[in-house]
Amino acid sequence: MSTALPLIAVTMGDGAGIGPEVVVAALLDDAVLTQCRPVVIGDAQRLREAARILGLDCEIAAVEHPRDAEFTPGRVNVVDLGLLPADLPWGKLSPVAGDAAYMYIKRAAELAVAGDVHAICTAPLNKEALHAAGHIYPGHTELLAHLTGTEEVSMMLSTEKVKVIHVTTHIGLIDAVNRIEPGLVERTVRRGHEAMVRAGVPNPVIGVCGINPHAGENGLFGYGEEEEKIVPALEKLRAEGVDARGPLPADTAFFLASRGDYDLIVAMYHDQGHGPVKVLGIEAGVNLTVGLPVIRTSVDHGTAFDIAGTGVAEAGSMVEALRQAAEMATAPVAPVA
């Protein structure tokens, strides 16, 4: 495999969930190996068990550091942290697995900050297990921001039909409305614009949702939140040449985006963005965190404890997450020293 391909740290996620299965299956996909050099941060023995469940004949090779990995067909490289007991049950919430999932992310973040990887791709963790282990974070996005010392990041969801970046994410709706202000809207749109340019869209058309139904309809709904919190940011962005349109009624914005009128939609709060994305393309959806030292991508599904360890989990979203991580890798495509 060419050393010019981006080196990607792939975290194994919660070892009691489907993460080990989708990681092994994705890393053996022929297309993935033409796009990047993936190295798992996880537990080698759990990956071997996942390969056995899947009926895959492959080598799970432990390495000390991503730079030590060798990329040959049928080989999965893993920085083996050895944190999971051999008898960890599949499909059951475990603080041990939650702590291990945290440690995989911590190691990946260290590699990113040191410049040793070009991107991070994450398998799903279980928030309840994470919290049971004493790591109180709403999710990957906030955890990675903390571990990399990044003050502000944005969550982006990407499917074939629509891409969405969020101004606020894992907070209550009342808190979200209170937090939204022109500076935050402006910074979010800029991060989305930069991500789209990196992905090969030189002049992205960005649709920005309002907060209220019908984007307030000229003061009919709400208390002028759109004029106060969103319009000043859009005026500044447009003056600088960013094609940011709105505020738009969310239902109209997503309909137009699904037919190709917008390259990116800016959602004001979690469910405003997540709901339409999950209707329009969750099977191949990808979750991205933009604003970190490196791009982070992830599957847009959970740990699926109900099917973990059965060999039926689909790896398509992980394959797509790896593809987008390679496409948007933060560092220049070059060998890692």
Side-chain angles (χ1 to χ4, degrees):
M1 181 180 293
S2 172
T3 55
L5 295 176
L7 189 57
I8 297 177
V10 184
T11 59
M12 197 179 78
D14 191 300
I18 63 173
E21 295 166 82
V22 298
V23 165
V24 170
L27 267 61
L28 294 174
D29 186 280
D30 290 340
V32 167
L33 298 179
T34 66
Q35 298 160 348
C36 63
R37 294 177 291 154
V39 178
V40 184
I41 314 297
D43 272 57
Q45 188 54 46
R46 197 61 166 181
L47 294 173
R48 292 186 185 109
E49 177 65 11
R52 184 193 65 77
I53 289 169
L54 294 167
L56 295 173
D57 183 16
C58 63
E59 177 189 6
I60 307 296
V63 297
E64 287 293 322
H65 190 278
R67 63 172 166 262
D68 302 323
E70 298 176 10
F71 299 93
T72 55
R75 174 179 165 124
V76 175
N77 295 281
V78 54
V79 175
D80 183 16
L81 301 193
L83 298 173
L84 299 178
D87 60 352
L88 179 75
W90 295 93
K92 295 191 180 298
L93 189 141
S94 164
V96 173
D99 184 62
Y102 170 85
M103 296 305 294
Y104 306 151
I105 292 292
K106 184 173 183 290
R107 183 63 178 276
E110 290 168 351
L111 292 167
V113 171
D116 291 332
V117 296
H118 296 131
I120 296 172
C121 183
T122 61
L125 53 72
N126 183 282
K127 293 172 187 175
E128 190 175 350
L130 186 72
H131 293 179
H135 307 296
I136 313 301
Y137 297 92
H140 268 121
T141 302
E142 297 82 2
L143 174 54
L144 278 164
H146 171 75
L147 290 172
T148 59
T150 306
E151 188 171 325
E152 189 175 274
V153 297
S154 295
M155 175 189 292
M156 181 185 288
L157 302 181
S158 175
T159 73
E160 184 178 350
K161 287 187 175 181
V162 64
K163 291 177 172 58
V164 184
I165 192 168
H166 294 70
V167 174
T168 67
T169 50
H170 296 118
I171 57 175
L173 185 55
I174 292 174
D175 294 332
V177 174
N178 289 333
R179 182 173 295 183
I180 296 166
E181 49 86 22
L184 179 58
V185 172
E186 179 192 341
R187 294 190 298 274
T188 303
V189 175
R190 287 190 191 281
R191 281 190 285 270
H193 182 272
E194 291 167 4
M196 295 303 298
V197 171
R198 184 179 296 278
V201 183
N203 299 296
V205 180
I206 302 172
V208 181
C209 292
I211 297 172
N212 295 295
H214 300 189
E217 200 163 309
N218 298 317
L220 184 61
F221 304 113
Y223 300 93
E225 289 87 353
E226 282 75 17
E227 289 295 323
E228 174 191 347
K229 297 171 177 285
I230 301 175
V231 170
L234 299 188
E235 289 177 344
K236 183 176 180 180
L237 289 161
R238 286 194 289 261
E240 297 177 15
V242 177
D243 192 352
R245 307 178 186 182
L248 304 169
D251 51 355
T252 302
F254 280 100
F255 167 72
L256 294 175
S258 71
R259 73 179 192 185
D261 291 15
Y262 293 106
D263 298 303
L264 176 69
I265 294 295
V266 179
M268 290 295 131
Y269 52 89
H270 183 281
D271 285 13
Q272 188 183 60
H274 276 61
V277 166
K278 292 190 174 185
V279 170
L280 291 170
I282 188 173
E283 296 86 355
V286 173
N287 185 323
L288 298 90
T289 305
V290 293
L292 295 169
V294 296
I295 284 290
R296 169 258 174 173
T297 68
S298 178
V299 293
D300 191 29
H301 60 68
T303 48
F305 280 169
D306 57 326
I307 61 170
T310 66
V312 302
E314 293 286 339
S317 185
M318 177 58 77
V319 170
E320 178 62 14
L322 282 162
R323 185 193 70 78
Q324 292 203 34
E327 179 180 72
M328 301 175 70
T330 302
V333 178
V336 175

